[in-house]
């Protein structure tokens, strides 16, 4: 599943990405490395972006971007 | 000797830079404040050192033009010492860039910044262990307070003098093999970054460097591709991915040994964000904060403006009484007086509180929060939340906002946000809104113009993005922690712009006023008035305002200061009707960006974009002012 399908406050593990190299590199730079855990802290209203905690940082990512991040639930 | 400050976004490089250079580089608590490099000369141990502050970057592979600046600078300039600034609270991330910098094998100092914030969060960094591991000097600093800064520079000087090159860390054998292979191939290419770093950059597929090497060595491109393919074959990964991953893994390994967190992070930020980013109250706070901001500016400015305007008109009347109003000399003196008093009475009273307020918002870290809340609205005008940064900076100065469009990855986004943010009323136009509309018609009109401005910008964005469909991936922005702004950085930052106004704009205001006085005396202004006659006719404005509008393109303040000169009084209620004041203000808010902004647009986006933005803003200005005039006439009479 992708990050957009995850509910708030649920910890998930990053497993991969969709999209080109430029985008993938950018994801890694901000801490979305495969294996890292992430959770959605809150979402902005009106179909706004997500505030995500990953790698001890808080990152704002748009919904379109979030769809490119593939994650799995931590059992 | 030349030192370069390199580090990730929002790690405090510019704050460190300003500690030694005086306030020269802009700072703020959000990523991407620095988009180009600033150079200065500093004295270290009696020697003159060139110091350069480079934009924040996550890696040396620029994903946007601001980040690209860093690699380009390091590739083409000989840097004697790299001062790598790392945020102690994000050590692992920071070290990823550190490892990449070590590949350059230059003398390197690692400055661990924000040690105060780190200890508040229960973070402990073992600098000595880190130094042993990386074999470079590692020094703790608190850049905002200047702690440890002197030691960083004296250490940098010592290792620069001794040419103590930092060793790089070794990666996996497969990767090292390809580095070795390419190193021999590219040996004839001499660049300041050294052959191993160059080999890595080629493996990572940097298009500019591959091109550069390909031109010098025949068949190099094929060899590089072969190395990339070999790596991919052995490891099953693209080289660029592999290299990033190895750096990151190594950084994590190091971090595990030297970084300890004893207690959980304080939740002040979470608690504050629960309110400030709340789906409903977040917007209430946003409106309240912005309202409070503009209300205070208006209040403070109004209290100072009123007596100064009276003084100005009194002095002018006395002057003309004293030396007679007819002669050229008297007109020139009167013009100079009006230019001087205009700056003092109308611009500065609003500029000073405005810049201090904006500086506070920037340093606290509220801007990225606005980006979070406004992202969906920004999508409606074809942009994403990152464009909030140029927008908000635009309220200070449009030149800075145009420069800050570099933080966006797509050219289309840069053009659209440059166009829209150039319509954001900068502090000069803010003075016109407050000094003219709000002062004579009441603060409600001031606020109304700001709201109208946002509506018009949103509409324009919507229409333009219809022709330039959005294809950018969207918003990716780091949310910084809240910081207490220091009085020193806020006042220093405000002073940087106030000084610019005093040194660059104010003399121009006086010269402009004098010039207009001379033109009036010889009835020349009537000729220049004709250029804007279609507009002034359409908006039912006196023809004499045409010349101030032309000069207003040079400096926006001129369109107000020269208005007094053109109409013969600084007390505008005597010479303009209320409707005229509003339509004039609205027109000035939108029409053609000032000369400095136009130059910035040309530099960032090219002549075509500059022409397009000029035409679009003029059209928008005429339309909005005309509509407002037609609506306001029956109400205000």
């Amino acid at each position: 599943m992708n990050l957009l399908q995850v509910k708030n406050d649920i910890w998930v593990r990053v497993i991969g990405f969709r999209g080109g190299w430029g985008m993938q590199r950018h994801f890694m730079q901000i801490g979305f490395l495969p294996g890292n855990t992430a959770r959605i802290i809150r979402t902005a209203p009106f179909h706004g972006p997500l505030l995500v905690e990953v790698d001890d940082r808080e990152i704002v990512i748009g919904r379109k971007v979030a769809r490119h991040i593939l994650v799995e639930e931590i059992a | 000797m030349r030192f370069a400050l390199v580090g990730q976004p929002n790690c405090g490089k510019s704050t460190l830079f300003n500690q030694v250079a005086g306030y020269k580089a802009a700072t703020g608590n959000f990523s991407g404040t620095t988009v180009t490099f600033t150079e200065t000369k500093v004295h270290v141990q009696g020697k003159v050192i060139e110091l350069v502050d480079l934009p924040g970057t996550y890696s040396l592979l620029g994903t946007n033009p601001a980040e690209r600046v860093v690699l380009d600078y390091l590739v083409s300039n000989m840097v004697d010492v790299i001062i790598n600034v790392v945020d102690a609270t994000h050590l692992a991330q920071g070290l990823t860039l550190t490892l990449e910098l070590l590949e350059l094998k230059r003398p390197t100092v690692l400055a661990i910044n924000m040690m105060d914030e780190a200890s508040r969060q229960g973070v402990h960094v073992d600098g000595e262990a880190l130094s042993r591991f990386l074999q470079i000097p590692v020094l703790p600093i608190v850049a905002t307070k200047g702690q440890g800064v002197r030691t960083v520079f004296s250490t940098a000087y010592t290792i620069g003098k001794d040419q103590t090159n930092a060793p790089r860390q070794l990666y996996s054998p497969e990767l090292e093999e390809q580095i070795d292979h390419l190193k021999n191939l590219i040996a004839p290419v001499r660049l300041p970054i050294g052959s191993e770093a160059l080999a890595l950059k080629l493996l990572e597929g940097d298009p500019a460097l591959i091109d550069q090497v390909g031109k010098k060595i025949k068949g190099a491109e094929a060899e590089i591709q072969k190395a990339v393919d070999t790596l991919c074959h052995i490891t099953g990964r693209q080289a660029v991915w592999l290299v990033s991953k190895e750096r990151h893994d190594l950084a994590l390994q190091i971090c595990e040994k030297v970084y300890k967190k004893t207690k959980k992070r304080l939740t002040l930020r979470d608690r504050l964000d629960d309110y400030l980013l709340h789906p409903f109250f977040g917007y209430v706070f946003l409106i309240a904060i912005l309202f409070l901001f503009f209300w205070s500016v208006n209040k403070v400015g109004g209290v100072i403006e009123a007596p100064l305007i009276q003084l100005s008109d009194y002095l002018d009347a006395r002057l003309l009484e004293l030396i007679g109003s007819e002669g050229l000399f008297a007109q020139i003196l009167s013009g100079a007086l009006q230019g001087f008093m205009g700056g003092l009475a109308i611009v500065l009273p609003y500029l000073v509180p405005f810049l201090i307020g904006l500086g506070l918002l920037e340093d606290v870290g509220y801007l990225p929060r606005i980006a979070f809340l406004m992202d969906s609205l920004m999508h409606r005008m074809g942009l994403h939340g990152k464009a909030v940064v140029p927008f908000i900076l635009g309220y200070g100065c449009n030149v800075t906002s145009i420069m800050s469009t570099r933080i966006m990855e797509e050219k289309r986004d840069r053009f659209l946000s440059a166009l829209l943010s150039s319509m954001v009323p900068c502090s000069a136009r803010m003075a016109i809104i407050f000094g003219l509309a709000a002062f004579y018609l009441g603060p409600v009109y001031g606020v109304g113009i700001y709201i109208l401005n946002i509506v018009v910008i949103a509409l324009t964005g919507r229409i333009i993005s219809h022709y330039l469909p959005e294809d950018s991936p969207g918003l990716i922005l780091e949310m910084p922690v809240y910081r207490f702004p220091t009085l020193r950085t806020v006042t220093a930052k405000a002073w940087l712009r106030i000084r610019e106004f005093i040194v660059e704009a104010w003399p121009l205001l006086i010269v402009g006023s004098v010039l207009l006085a001379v033109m009036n005396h010889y009835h020349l202004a009537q000729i220049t008035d004709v250029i804007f006659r279609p507009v002034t006719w359409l908006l039912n404005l006196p023809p004499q305002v045409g010349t101030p509008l032309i000069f207003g393109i040079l400096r926006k303040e001129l369109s107000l200061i020269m208005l007094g000169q053109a109409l013969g009084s600084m007390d505008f209620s005597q010479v303009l009707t209320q409707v005229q004041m509003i339509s004039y203000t609205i027109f000035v808010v939108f029409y053609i960006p000032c000369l400095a902004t136009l130059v910035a647009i040309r530099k960032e986006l090219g002549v075509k974009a500059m022409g397009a933005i000029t035409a679009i803003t003029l059209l928008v200005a005429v339309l909005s002012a005309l509509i407002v005039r037609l609506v306001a006439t029956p109400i205000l009479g």
Side-chain angles (χ1 to χ4, degrees):
Chain A
M1 62 184 170
N2 65 54
L3 193 58
L4 202 54
Q5 295 164 312
V6 179
K7 287 201 183 73
N8 286 13
D9 260 333
I10 305 283
W11 283 96
V12 291
R13 184 178 291 115
V14 179
I15 51 173
F17 312 100
R18 271 201 297 249
W21 282 113
M23 199 145 168
Q24 297 204 4
R25 201 168 56 218
H26 206 83
F27 283 139
M28 302 211 313
Q29 288 167 353
I30 55 171
F32 286 98
L33 264 128
N36 278 351
T37 53
R39 94 184 151 103
I40 298 170
I41 303 171
R42 64 183 91 238
T43 45
F46 312 117
H47 223 64
L50 322 173
L51 181 63
V52 183
E53 180 179 346
V54 61
D55 221 10
D56 246 357
R57 284 195 288 190
E58 290 186 11
I59 312 279
V60 184
I61 48 176
R63 283 170 179 267
K64 236 162 101 187
V65 183
R67 211 171 288 144
H68 287 84
I69 301 176
L70 304 174
V71 295
E72 61 177 15
E73 259 181 82
I74 300 174
Chain B
M1 250 198 269
R2 183 186 282 132
F3 296 175
L5 290 167
V6 190
Q8 297 200 340
N10 208 22
C11 74
K13 294 170 302 299
S14 298
T15 310
L16 175 62
F17 180 84
N18 289 342
Q19 282 289 350
V20 290
Y23 203 92
K24 278 189 184 155
T27 56
N29 184 12
F30 51 95
S31 308
T33 325
T34 311
V35 287
T36 179
F37 59 85
T38 316
E39 279 174 316
T40 192
K41 286 192 169 55
V42 294
H43 288 270
V44 178
Q45 304 197 338
K47 295 282 187 323
V48 179
I49 303 289
E50 275 178 59
L51 178 66
V52 54
D53 177 33
L54 293 168
T57 182
Y58 289 106
S59 70
L60 296 181
L61 286 173
T63 44
N64 63 42
E67 295 193 346
R68 183 78 219 170
V69 168
V70 183
L71 182 62
D72 287 348
Y73 190 91
L74 293 173
V75 166
S76 47
N77 292 276
M78 203 58 208
V79 173
D80 296 284
V81 182
I82 293 170
I83 299 176
N84 176 207
V85 185
V86 170
D87 174 356
T89 60
H90 290 138
L91 189 66
Q93 257 81 44
L95 285 179
T96 317
L97 177 64
T98 307
L99 292 173
E100 195 169 352
L101 289 171
L102 291 179
E103 289 160 12
L104 305 176
K105 289 187 164 176
R106 304 294 310 156
T108 306
V109 179
L110 185 58
I112 312 274
N113 190 21
M114 304 188 211
M115 291 304 282
D116 53 342
E117 173 73 28
S119 64
R120 265 201 295 279
Q121 291 185 15
V123 165
H124 176 77
V125 179
D126 185 349
E128 279 176 31
L130 187 57
S131 174
R132 273 198 306 277
F133 201 97
L134 298 175
Q135 298 171 49
I136 55 170
V138 176
L139 301 160
I141 62 167
V142 181
T144 49
K145 296 179 186 141
Q147 289 168 12
V149 172
R150 189 183 287 266
T151 323
V152 167
F153 282 93
S154 56
T155 310
Y157 179 75
T158 312
I159 62 166
K161 200 179 61 181
D162 301 344
Q163 290 286 312
T164 323
N165 287 342
R168 80 173 173 91
Q169 300 291 316
L170 290 179
Y171 301 116
S172 65
E174 301 86 23
L175 188 54
E176 290 298 333
E177 194 183 323
Q178 297 307 322
I179 295 173
D180 265 348
H181 173 67
L182 284 186
K183 202 170 93 178
N184 297 331
L185 172 81
I186 57 178
V189 185
R190 293 246 161 252
L191 284 177
I193 63 167
S195 54
E196 286 174 19
L198 182 58
L200 271 157
K201 286 284 153 285
L202 296 174
L203 284 172
E204 286 176 289
D206 187 278
L209 286 176
I210 290 179
D211 191 51
Q212 207 173 330
V213 171
K215 272 183 194 146
K216 285 200 183 127
I217 301 162
K218 232 177 132 191
E221 275 136 328
E223 277 298 315
I224 295 163
Q225 191 53 47
K226 216 172 93 190
V228 171
D229 290 344
T230 313
L231 265 179
C232 191
H233 184 70
I234 301 171
T235 63
R237 285 172 186 275
Q238 281 281 347
V240 57
W241 186 258
L242 186 76
V243 177
S244 298
K245 177 113 177 74
E246 293 209 8
R247 279 190 204 118
H248 189 86
D249 288 350
L250 191 54
L252 280 182
Q253 275 176 32
I254 299 170
C255 205
E256 239 165 58
K257 294 195 182 92
V258 301
Y259 176 92
K260 273 193 193 65
K261 204 167 189 175
T262 47
K263 58 181 180 202
K264 205 189 163 337
R265 186 174 55 203
L266 289 177
T267 51
L268 173 74
R269 151 181 169 171
D270 292 326
R271 256 179 296 159
L272 208 49
D273 276 348
D274 278 342
Y275 295 103
L276 293 181
L277 299 181
H278 188 274
F280 174 72
F281 292 109
Y283 294 91
V284 175
F285 279 112
L286 175 66
I287 292 167
I289 288 168
L290 293 182
F291 179 80
L292 186 74
F293 173 39
F294 284 110
W295 181 82
S296 333
V297 170
N298 183 45
K299 204 76 196 157
V300 173
V303 167
I304 306 170
E305 179 181 354
L308 285 175
I309 289 284
Q310 282 177 357
L311 178 71
S312 172
D313 274 3
Y314 169 77
L315 284 178
D316 195 38
R318 284 301 306 266
L319 180 83
L320 295 180
E321 207 179 279
L322 217 67
I323 47 177
S325 59
E326 291 309 306
L328 178 65
F329 182 63
Q331 291 297 327
I332 288 175
L333 271 186
S334 160
L337 180 74
Q338 296 218 2
F340 176 78
M341 287 307 285
L344 189 69
I346 311 181
V347 181
L348 280 174
Y350 297 102
L351 191 66
V352 176
F354 180 85
L355 291 176
I356 289 175
L358 189 67
L360 281 174
L361 285 181
E362 282 177 8
D363 284 8
V364 167
Y366 191 57
L367 294 196
R369 266 97 192 162
I370 302 182
F372 177 75
L373 291 171
M374 301 301 279
D375 184 63
S376 56
L377 179 77
M378 302 298 266
H379 272 293
R380 263 155 237 227
M381 38 191 194
L383 283 167
H384 56 71
K386 231 181 192 177
V388 162
V389 173
F391 274 64
I392 303 278
L393 292 178
Y395 284 102
C397 171
N398 287 168
V399 175
T400 357
S401 75
I402 300 296
M403 303 266 290
S404 76
T405 58
R406 285 189 197 175
I407 61 171
M408 268 166 283
E409 288 80 13
E410 307 292 327
K411 183 150 190 203
R412 173 250 177 221
D413 290 357
R414 285 204 291 277
F415 170 75
L416 190 56
S417 45
L419 164 68
L420 299 180
S421 66
S422 71
M423 290 198 277
V424 169
C426 62
S427 53
R429 282 174 283 171
M430 179 270 312
I432 300 170
I433 295 173
F434 281 121
L436 189 64
F439 186 72
Y440 289 101
L441 282 86
V444 178
Y445 286 87
V447 176
I449 289 174
Y450 272 97
I451 294 172
L452 176 83
N453 175 261
I454 294 170
V455 173
V456 170
I457 289 175
L459 275 176
T460 313
R462 226 187 143 88
I463 295 167
I464 303 284
S465 63
H466 181 75
Y467 296 99
L468 288 174
E470 188 183 359
D471 61 347
S472 62
L475 175 67
I476 303 178
L477 188 69
E478 190 166 347
M479 188 74 95
V481 294
Y482 290 104
R483 292 201 183 116
F484 282 106
T486 59
L487 187 69
R488 194 174 151 183
T489 46
V490 173
T491 47
K493 183 154 50 175
W495 172 241
L496 184 74
R497 297 243 186 88
I498 293 166
R499 190 182 57 192
E500 193 226 53
F501 169 77
I502 294 175
V503 177
E504 289 174 25
W506 212 352
L508 209 64
L509 298 189
I510 298 170
V511 171
S513 276
V514 169
L515 199 63
L516 187 59
V518 175
M519 285 166 71
N520 271 337
H521 187 79
Y522 292 110
H523 305 287
L524 287 172
Q526 286 162 358
I527 301 166
T528 44
D529 285 340
V530 172
I531 301 173
F532 263 100
R533 190 61 196 135
V535 172
T536 49
W537 173 78
L538 211 56
L539 300 178
N540 188 30
L541 292 167
Q544 302 96 294
V545 307
T547 308
L549 285 176
I550 293 170
F551 279 85
I553 300 171
L554 290 177
R555 277 302 296 204
K556 291 288 169 177
E557 295 97 334
L558 278 172
S559 53
L560 181 63
I561 308 305
M562 288 177 66
L563 190 63
Q565 176 68 19
L567 298 172
S569 171
M570 291 294 265
D571 184 356
F572 296 115
S573 61
Q574 305 289 324
V575 282
L576 289 173
T577 68
Q578 294 194 322
V579 178
Q580 284 177 325
M581 283 192 221
I582 294 202
S583 16
Y584 184 76
T585 311
I586 305 247
F587 183 78
V588 168
V589 164
F590 289 108
Y591 90 114
I592 311 178
C594 75
L595 189 66
T597 308
L598 287 174
V599 171
I601 295 172
R602 201 191 70 171
K603 204 171 129 212
E604 297 293 322
L605 298 155
V607 179
K608 255 200 208 153
M610 184 184 82
I613 290 175
T614 306
I616 294 169
T617 51
L618 189 60
L619 183 70
V620 169
V622 172
L623 285 177
S624 357
L626 185 63
I627 292 169
V628 167
R629 182 206 145 192
L630 295 177
V631 173
T633 307
I635 302 169
L636 293 167

